[in-house]
């Protein structure tokens, strides 16, 4: 009886030990499953992972990129000073209160906004090492860049239409291009570009940024930011492409159609003086328009080669946002006699200045 009792006791002890081992194994499996589930939850929730991005600057030249701050700062100062001078001169001179110069004044406002959107942060990165940028600030910069770029394209379209009506339909020009027409055109461009570019930033903010936060750029470009996302970005790329075709593509097509019609009309003029005058009034617009859209095409093409040479698209992207604001006033100042006279009066310069 005692042997049986001892055997039964041993068997019960073994059974209890086995049950305890099974319980511990099940508990360990549950803990592992909960850990995996929690990690997945964290990965899918950007709020737990990334609260800011780091703008590293120009890829491949991080050690000496601060030397580029001087030319970029000079371009920014030139853009601010020249565009402010354009606005002050057009507002001060009654002879410049014409549709062409009013559109030019609107272009100056857009240029100042575009340059100011990116340059202070770029200079802070180079001079102060302030590479971090919060997610809301980054998405706001994405929106501002797209909005101002689209606005510049829209203003160029308005200027092309203005020149088309002035040259091809000169008798109807005063009745077509009125103050109301100018106001409606600018308001339409503001609403069109302001509303159509909102989804770019909104879609970028809806992505989950769960791991990487280093952006190899000086600014928050949409494609550079969404490439860090952990989830699908197909809709972001699709809307970026659709926006480019709808806004920049349509504007560019209408601009070139306008200037093609202008050229056909000018070539029909019998007077060589009239032809030269008509071409002179369009030359400034055409130079800037060709530079603006050519730069967009070059930046788009070089972006495809960004994996091999990442510095090139980043550098061209930055320059495309700061060179046009600095270049536009200079082209008009050089090629427009009325503006040169207005500059002379505003700055109080002598009669010998700004002559051809």
């Amino acid at each position: 009886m005692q042997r049986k009792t001892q055997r039964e006791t041993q068997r019960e002890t073994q059974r209890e030990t086995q049950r305890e081992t099974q319980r511990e194994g099940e508990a360990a499996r549950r803990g592992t499953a909960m850990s995996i589930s929690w990690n997945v939850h964290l990965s899918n929730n950007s709020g737990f992972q990334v609260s800011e991005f780091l703008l590293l600057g120009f890829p491949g030249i991080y050690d000496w990129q601060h030397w580029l701050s001087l030319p970029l700062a000079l371009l920014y100062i030139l853009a601010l000073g020249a565009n402010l001078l354009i606005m002050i001169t057009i507002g001060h001179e009654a002879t410049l209160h014409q549709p062409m110069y009013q559109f030019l004044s609107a272009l100056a406002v857009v240029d100042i906004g575009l340059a100011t959107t990116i340059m202070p942060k770029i200079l802070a990165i180079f001079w102060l090492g302030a590479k971090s940028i919060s997610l809301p600030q980054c998405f706001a910069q994405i929106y501002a860049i797209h909005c101002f770029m689209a606005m510049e394209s829209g203003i160029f379209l308005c200027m092309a239409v203005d020149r088309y009506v002035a040259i091809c339909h000169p008798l109807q020009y005063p009745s077509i291009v009125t103050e109301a027409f100018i106001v409606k055109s600018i308001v339409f461009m503001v609403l069109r570009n302001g509303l159509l570019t909102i989804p770019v930033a909104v879609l970028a903010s809806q992505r989950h940024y769960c791991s990487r936060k280093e952006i190899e750029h000086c600014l928050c470009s949409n494609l550079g930011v969404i490439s860090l996302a952990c989830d699908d970005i197909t809709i972001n790329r699709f809307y970026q492409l659709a926006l480019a075709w709808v806004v920049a593509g349509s504007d560019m097509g209408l601009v070139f159609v306008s200037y093609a019609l202008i050229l056909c009309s000018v070539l029909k003029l019998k007077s060589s003086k009239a032809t030269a005058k008509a071409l002179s009034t369009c030359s400034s617009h055409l130079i800037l328009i060709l530079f603006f859209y050519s730069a967009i095409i070059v930046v788009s093409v070089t972006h495809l080669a960004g994996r091999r040479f990442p510095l090139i698209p980043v550098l061209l992207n930055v320059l495309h946002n700061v060179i046009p604001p600095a270049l536009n006033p200079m082209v008009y100042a050089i090629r427009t006699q009325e503006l040169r006279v207005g500059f002379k009066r505003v700055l109080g310069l002598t009669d010998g200045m700004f002559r051809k």
Side-chain angles (χ1 to χ4, degrees):
M1 292 293 293
Q2 291 180 354
R3 290 178 181 177
K4 290 183 180 179
T5 304
Q6 289 177 354
R7 290 175 183 173
E8 290 176 358
T9 303
Q10 290 176 354
R11 289 174 184 172
E12 290 178 359
T13 303
Q14 290 176 355
R15 290 171 187 167
E16 189 66 28
T17 303
Q18 290 175 355
R19 292 190 193 121
E20 189 67 27
T21 303
Q22 290 176 355
R23 292 194 198 102
E24 290 178 356
E26 291 176 0
R29 284 194 293 271
R30 290 195 201 100
T32 303
M34 291 178 64
S35 177
I36 294 173
S37 177
W38 180 247
N39 289 334
V40 170
H41 176 71
L42 287 178
S43 298
N44 291 332
N45 194 332
S46 61
F48 284 99
Q49 293 295 322
V50 175
S51 60
E52 63 181 13
F53 293 124
L54 294 179
L55 297 172
L56 302 181
F58 292 111
I61 59 171
Y62 297 131
D63 294 335
W64 57 275
Q65 63 182 355
H66 58 276
W67 291 105
L68 295 175
S69 63
L70 182 58
L72 290 176
L74 292 176
L75 281 174
Y76 180 52
I77 293 172
L78 177 61
L80 289 182
N83 283 289
L84 285 173
L85 182 59
I86 287 275
M87 295 166 58
I88 293 171
T89 302
I90 293 174
H92 182 267
E93 294 296 315
T95 57
L96 299 179
H97 294 173
Q98 303 175 26
M100 181 178 70
Y101 297 109
Q102 290 173 331
F103 284 128
L104 178 58
S105 183
L107 180 64
V109 174
V110 173
D111 284 339
I112 291 175
L114 178 60
T116 305
T117 297
I118 67 167
M119 284 310 303
K121 182 59 180 178
I122 292 177
L123 296 178
I125 294 172
F126 292 160
W127 291 344
L128 306 176
K131 297 181 180 180
S132 63
I133 182 171
S134 67
L135 267 65
Q137 290 176 341
C138 188
F139 300 140
Q141 190 181 65
I142 289 175
Y143 171 74
I145 291 173
H146 281 77
C147 184
F148 282 123
M149 289 290 291
M151 278 295 301
E152 187 153 356
S153 177
I155 296 297
F156 279 137
L157 175 59
C158 292
M159 297 170 79
V161 172
D162 171 73
R163 291 299 86 199
Y164 165 75
V165 177
I167 294 174
C168 299
H169 304 282
L171 298 179
Q172 290 81 21
Y173 181 78
S175 60
I176 295 176
V177 186
T178 61
E179 289 290 336
F181 174 83
I182 297 170
V183 172
K184 290 178 182 178
S185 299
I186 294 176
V187 169
F188 172 76
M189 288 300 168
V190 170
L191 292 177
R192 184 198 72 168
N193 301 316
L195 295 176
L196 288 180
T197 52
I198 287 177
V200 176
V202 171
L203 289 173
S205 67
Q206 296 301 311
R207 303 280 68 83
H208 299 299
Y209 304 95
C210 58
S211 56
R212 296 178 299 160
K213 63 178 182 178
E214 292 83 9
I215 302 174
E216 293 186 345
H217 212 305
C218 299
L219 52 89
C220 286
S221 68
N222 183 48
L223 295 178
V225 171
I226 63 175
S227 65
L228 304 179
C230 299
D231 52 353
D232 186 33
I233 59 173
T234 302
I235 187 172
N236 299 70
R237 293 182 180 276
F238 175 79
Y239 192 83
Q240 177 88 18
L241 181 63
L243 183 68
W245 278 104
V246 170
V247 176
S250 62
D251 288 351
M252 183 170 60
L254 292 174
V255 164
F256 286 125
V257 167
S258 299
Y259 276 99
L261 295 175
I262 289 173
L263 184 60
C264 292
S265 179
V266 167
L267 293 177
K268 293 179 182 179
L269 297 176
K270 297 180 180 180
S271 173
S272 58
K273 290 184 178 180
T275 302
K277 183 178 180 181
L279 292 175
S280 177
T281 59
C282 294
S283 59
S284 300
H285 307 108
L286 195 56
I287 290 172
L288 298 178
I289 287 168
L290 288 174
F291 178 81
F292 178 78
Y293 288 115
S294 299
I296 289 180
I297 294 172
V298 170
V299 170
S300 301
V301 171
T302 55
H303 180 77
L304 299 176
R307 293 184 178 179
R308 284 190 173 185
F309 309 101
L311 174 63
I312 295 177
V314 172
L315 181 60
L316 290 178
N317 195 358
V318 172
L319 293 178
H320 185 237
N321 287 316
V322 70
I323 287 182
L327 179 67
N328 294 347
M330 295 174 62
V331 172
Y332 276 100
I334 292 172
R335 302 190 61 85
T336 308
Q337 176 68 23
E338 292 83 355
L339 270 180
R340 293 200 297 272
V341 173
F343 291 156
K344 181 180 64 175
R345 292 176 180 172
V346 169
L347 297 175
L349 300 176
T350 60
D351 293 338
M353 301 294 291
F354 292 99
R355 286 183 180 174
K356 288 184 178 180

